[in-house]
Amino acid sequence: MDILEKELQIKKTSPEDKIIALAGNPNVGKSTVFNNLTGLKQHTGNWPGKTVTNAHGNYIYKDKNYILVDLPGTYSLMANSIEEEVARDFICFGNPNATVVVVDATCLERNLNLVLQTIEMTSNVVVCVNLMDEAHKKGISINLERLSNCLGVPVVGTTALKNKGLDTLMESVHELAYNKVVPKPISIIYDDTIEKAIDIVKSALSPILPHNMNSRWVAIKLLDGENTLLNSINKYLGFDLYKDLKLMDKLSQAKELLRKEGIDSLTFRDRTITHLVTMAEDISRDVISFEHGNYNNFDRKLDKYITSKKFGIPLMVLLLGIVFWITITGANYPSEMLATGLFWIQDRLTDFFIKIGAPSWVHGVLVSGIYGTLAWVVSVMLPPMAIFFPMFTFLEDLGYLPRVAFNLDNYFKKSSACGKQALTMCMGFGCNAAGVIGCRIIDSPRERLIAIITNSFVPCNGRFPILIAVITMFFTGYFTGPFQSFMSTLVLTGVIVLSVMMTLFISKVLSKTILKGMPSTFTLELPPYRKPQLGKVIVHSIFDRTLFVLGRAVVVAAPAGLVIWIMANINIGNTSILSHCANFFDPFAKLIGMDGYIIMAFILGFPANEIVIPILIMSYMATGSMLELDSLNQLKSLLIDNGWTWVTAISVMLFTLFHWPCATTCLTIRKETQSKKWTLISLFAPTIVGIVVCFIFVSTIKIIGLV
């Protein structure tokens, strides 16, 4: 999307409306400020890179309408990532009447770097020092008045979570937007050589840039060699700056001056960044005082174990196992109740169609086909998601997920991938489609594609029922009571670890073949541990994730139910279309430890993995519609009677882990990549891996004589 299109997104309802940009580092409470002012429920989370697109909403103050734009969280405006580019371009070209830079009171020095960069770009800045309550708890005092004098712009302290200080913030924004206060921001002066070079370029820029663009800042970026900025400026202006001969001549003169002093583009950037960092350090020393120097000892002691080489990975696996155990155990009862209720409705619908004398095929299509499939998807998919997503959001708000990325970063780096992929992989456990969307936080397009393609290698909650059922029937069914649940969780956790290892392996293969490249570096903030907001965790996880993903699954499952019913009930000769297809795939399926009906169940389960087992039962029993057996023992007997062995069980588990993503995920991949090519690769790459892994397993078993 180009700059002009971004501007058109923010439409004024009145000429008097004021546009206010909200900028800030990730995890400073920026979206909380936005939500409390506008009333919009933008999801907030305690891990970096949460906001990757602009969200905007209205706020009325003193009978004036303000349009607040929540920009992506970014550490700087140097445009090293998509987030930085979006934030920089909106501040520069979106013509906001004021820019509010939200900073974290507990780590002001680091956040001031962004403040100084913004002040260098525009003078219409208000600094919002958020999380003042946390700073107070840690014995950190900030002299806001002195900070305002140092920066030359209004500074307001807030605790957005408790809605404190936001009225004062909007009063400062109101005065700035209506020119009641004229800020005099601090002058950022570099060494003499750099200042002379800036003046040379600025003299040629001033006549050709519009009044709302800071010619000094653009001159600095041109000397820095900021190509992304130049592209954005050209789109905004409608002409190519490189075609302005006078400007190019001045730019050459300035660069020649710098070269004589031994300053190339890289050195120029280092010097300007170092100067900003030094200024941030000086200002921080002047305005911050500490009651005690060990204010973050608790976090450091905790991270000593959670992020250590010795304990980090084991603790992560243990926590993952606990999450799965709670999900597995907790989802059983609501899933059973939901299935009972939904299929009771199906029986009543059947009675209704019989009463009105509807043709059997109409009942089959609408009730047994479409409604029956939807009932299965909802009853199997909803309870695990309703448990998993709140726990995932809880860990997110707690601040644990960045530690997961930290622990796995080295492994992903060895795979020539990005450590942030660990976060998107974790989201994939709840839903692969959600994990694909989460890949937006990865800056490198190459690494983002790797993360998207490999996201389906971790099983989503739709594949958990298959894994859990097979594990319980063939491997832990000999145990009873809570111990059976514990053993099932243990085996499932081992299977998940295998999927993570395969994710790393395939990432390495992709980075050495079709997606060659070196792993990029990225800044990973380990935010302080915070008490999660349980109410918001539940609301956001249910509405923003669970129901959103369930809605997508329902949309694709309804037509799938129709296709499944038709294939199972229309015969060619004396055999259904489903059986004909199964017989066709059977020779191939035997090579990878399965049979044709299993392959057909996976194919027909493409819209939603939850319906694989019901399709399998329907196929083996030749009932023409999906049904549920009363117990796993009955299901195990049915499978064994149709030729299942422990080899079949393991092959099914492996293929469940490594096969094509569901239709919802494929649609999401298509939307995120805007490419048919990468969507097809994402579809077939896991399938090829699944076939190869199953074939190797079956061949090995035969060679060593276990079957």
Side-chain angles (χ1 to χ4, degrees):
M1 181 184 300
D2 62 35
I3 304 304
L4 295 178
E5 288 175 324
K6 289 176 186 173
E7 283 190 285
L8 292 174
Q9 282 187 311
I10 314 302
K11 295 182 179 179
K12 294 184 176 183
T13 56
S14 166
E16 296 183 358
D17 290 350
K18 300 295 183 180
I19 296 177
I20 310 300
L22 278 178
N25 286 186
N27 202 50
V28 296
K30 180 171 56 63
S31 292
T32 304
V33 173
F34 175 81
N35 288 339
N36 286 350
L37 288 175
T38 64
L40 294 178
K41 300 306 178 184
Q42 166 108 342
H43 179 54
T44 57
N46 193 17
W47 57 288
K50 171 57 71 175
T51 309
V52 291
T53 55
N54 290 346
H56 62 276
N58 294 342
Y59 179 75
I60 305 296
Y61 184 78
K62 290 188 175 181
D63 297 325
K64 303 294 184 182
N65 186 49
Y66 292 86
I67 302 174
L68 271 64
V69 183
D70 184 17
L71 299 177
T74 177
Y75 293 102
S76 77
L77 299 176
M78 298 295 183
N80 293 315
S81 69
I82 295 174
E83 290 92 340
E84 293 173 9
E85 188 175 342
V86 170
R88 179 205 66 193
D89 286 352
F90 186 83
I91 294 172
C92 188
F93 309 118
N95 299 322
N97 297 97
T99 298
V100 176
V101 183
V102 184
V103 300
D104 185 346
T106 64
C107 46
L108 181 64
E109 179 183 314
R110 185 184 67 219
N111 288 200
L112 280 178
N113 183 41
L114 179 65
V115 174
L116 293 172
Q117 289 182 44
T118 308
I119 287 175
E120 195 171 36
M121 186 190 301
T122 174
S123 60
N124 294 330
V125 175
V126 176
V127 177
C128 170
V129 183
N130 194 32
L131 303 172
M132 291 293 288
D133 57 333
E134 290 193 16
H136 178 72
K137 289 178 183 177
K138 294 180 177 182
I140 302 173
S141 298
I142 301 175
N143 190 324
L144 299 178
E145 184 177 354
R146 186 180 299 172
L147 179 60
S148 179
N149 292 334
C150 289
L151 296 174
V153 297
V155 175
V156 179
T158 65
T159 302
L161 188 61
K162 299 177 181 177
N163 213 19
K164 293 182 179 179
L166 295 183
D167 285 340
T168 306
L169 174 64
M170 285 309 300
E171 176 62 28
S172 296
V173 170
H174 176 77
E175 292 181 351
L176 186 63
Y178 284 92
N179 299 318
K180 295 182 179 181
V181 171
V182 180
K184 297 179 180 179
I186 183 174
S187 298
I188 300 174
I189 306 299
Y190 302 99
D191 60 59
D192 291 342
T193 304
I194 290 178
E195 283 298 324
K196 289 178 182 178
I198 293 171
D199 288 339
I200 292 172
V201 179
K202 181 182 173 183
S203 64
L205 276 172
S206 298
I208 61 176
L209 292 181
H211 70 280
N212 62 305
M213 291 187 67
N214 188 324
S215 57
R216 173 183 167 84
W217 177 75
V218 175
I220 294 172
K221 295 306 172 184
L222 286 173
L223 289 169
D224 181 79
E226 186 69 79
N227 290 327
T228 59
L229 173 66
L230 184 61
N231 293 333
S232 297
I233 291 175
N234 290 339
K235 289 180 182 178
Y236 181 74
L237 296 177
F239 62 86
D240 190 346
L241 285 176
Y242 273 137
K243 293 183 178 179
D244 189 296
L245 299 180
K246 183 178 179 181
L247 173 60
M248 291 302 102
D249 181 58
K250 294 292 185 181
L251 184 60
S252 297
Q253 291 180 32
K255 287 186 175 182
E256 181 61 29
L257 174 64
L258 293 173
R259 271 195 297 270
K260 288 180 179 178
E261 297 296 327
I263 303 175
D264 57 16
S265 294
L266 185 60
T267 308
F268 180 89
R269 170 170 282 207
D270 286 343
R271 288 198 182 186
T272 54
I273 291 175
T274 301
H275 183 71
L276 292 175
V277 170
T278 302
M279 288 184 66
E281 291 172 348
D282 293 340
I283 294 172
S284 297
R285 279 194 294 267
D286 190 32
V287 302
I288 300 176
S289 59
F290 299 94
E291 187 176 320
H292 44 81
N294 58 349
Y295 64 91
N296 60 350
N297 266 7
F298 174 76
D299 286 2
R300 288 183 177 179
K301 287 180 180 178
L302 207 55
D303 282 338
K304 183 179 179 181
Y305 297 98
I306 289 178
T307 61
S308 71
K309 291 183 179 180
K310 188 175 182 180
F311 298 105
I313 298 296
L315 285 174
M316 184 182 70
V317 173
L318 175 63
L319 185 59
L320 185 67
I322 293 172
V323 169
F324 287 141
W325 180 77
I326 295 174
T327 303
I328 293 168
T329 306
N332 285 336
Y333 301 106
S335 183
E336 184 178 346
M337 293 172 60
L338 197 56
T340 301
L342 291 174
F343 285 107
W344 179 87
I345 295 175
Q346 180 173 331
D347 293 338
R348 303 293 76 77
L349 288 173
T350 299
D351 295 339
F352 171 74
F353 275 84
I354 293 174
K355 185 176 181 179
I356 64 174
S360 59
W361 67 269
V362 174
H363 168 267
V365 168
L366 296 179
V367 179
S368 300
I370 296 176
Y371 179 84
T373 303
L374 291 177
W376 264 107
V377 171
V378 172
S379 62
V380 175
M381 192 174 182
L382 181 58
M385 281 200 303
I387 295 172
F388 179 85
F389 279 139
M391 287 194 293
F392 184 88
T393 309
F394 179 87
L395 294 176
E396 184 180 316
D397 279 15
L398 182 65
Y400 179 71
L401 292 189
R403 274 78 183 176
V404 173
F406 180 87
N407 289 331
L408 294 177
D409 175 55
N410 185 48
Y411 298 100
F412 278 102
K413 188 174 183 179
K414 289 180 179 178
S415 301
S416 297
C418 177
K420 289 183 181 179
Q421 188 175 334
L423 297 172
T424 66
M425 183 180 65
C426 288
M427 295 182 71
F429 287 122
C431 174
N432 293 137
V436 169
I437 293 173
C439 293
R440 295 173 182 174
I441 67 172
I442 299 175
D443 305 326
S444 164
R446 182 189 71 86
E447 293 170 348
R448 194 181 312 124
L449 280 172
I450 291 176
I452 288 173
I453 293 171
T454 59
N455 192 267
S456 61
F457 283 96
V458 293
C460 64
N461 64 73
R463 285 184 266 176
F464 283 144
I466 308 172
L467 294 171
I468 294 168
V470 174
I471 289 171
T472 304
M473 287 185 294
F474 288 89
F475 303 104
T476 63
Y478 306 101
F479 304 100
T480 58
F483 197 61
Q484 183 187 45
S485 179
F486 170 76
M487 291 303 297
S488 296
T489 302
L490 191 63
V491 176
L492 179 61
T493 303
V495 171
I496 299 305
V497 171
L498 173 63
S499 72
V500 174
M501 293 172 62
M502 186 60 70
T503 298
L504 293 169
F505 174 72
I506 299 301
S507 296
K508 182 73 171 181
V509 171
L510 289 172
S511 65
K512 296 300 181 182
T513 54
I514 60 175
L515 289 170
K516 292 181 180 180
M518 294 293 293
S520 63
T521 58
F522 72 98
T523 302
L524 177 63
E525 177 187 2
L526 294 183
Y529 293 98
R530 290 174 182 154
K531 182 180 178 180
Q533 308 166 55
L534 293 180
K536 289 187 176 181
V537 164
I538 293 172
V539 170
H540 289 312
S541 60
I542 295 297
F543 288 96
D544 291 352
R545 289 178 173 169
T546 304
L547 295 182
F548 173 75
V549 174
L550 183 65
R552 283 191 172 185
V554 165
V555 168
V556 295
L562 173 62
V563 173
I564 293 167
W565 187 89
I566 290 173
M567 292 188 69
N569 288 273
I570 295 181
N571 294 336
I572 299 177
N574 294 321
T575 307
S576 68
I577 296 175
L578 179 59
S579 294
H580 278 295
C581 293
N583 292 334
F584 173 79
F585 284 113
D586 197 63
F588 163 75
K590 297 294 184 184
L591 295 175
I592 56 176
M594 296 183 281
D595 62 36
Y597 284 110
I598 299 174
I599 297 297
M600 282 305 301
F602 277 112
I603 292 174
L604 294 175
F606 171 68
N609 292 308
E610 294 79 4
I611 60 178
V612 169
I613 289 181
I615 294 172
L616 200 56
I617 297 171
M618 176 188 70
S619 302
Y620 285 148
M621 299 185 72
T623 57
S625 62
M626 288 187 292
L627 50 84
E628 179 182 14
L629 297 178
D630 294 334
S631 68
L632 282 179
N633 287 331
Q634 285 184 314
L635 177 56
K636 182 179 179 181
S637 298
L638 175 66
L639 298 179
I640 291 175
D641 290 342
N642 283 273
W644 277 53
T645 65
W646 65 272
V647 175
T648 313
I650 293 179
S651 296
V652 168
M653 290 172 61
L654 290 173
F655 198 72
T656 299
L657 282 180
F658 314 124
H659 78 285
W660 53 82
C662 69
T664 305
T665 305
C666 287
L667 291 173
T668 306
I669 292 172
R670 179 70 176 89
K671 183 177 180 181
E672 293 298 308
T673 62
Q674 296 294 309
S675 167
K676 291 181 180 179
K677 170 189 172 183
W678 293 113
T679 304
L680 290 173
I681 291 175
S682 300
L683 180 64
F684 290 111
T687 309
I688 295 171
V689 172
I691 292 171
V692 170
V693 169
C694 289
F695 180 76
I696 292 174
F697 165 71
V698 173
S699 300
T700 304
I701 291 299
K702 289 180 179 179
I703 290 172
I704 62 179
L706 292 180
V707 292

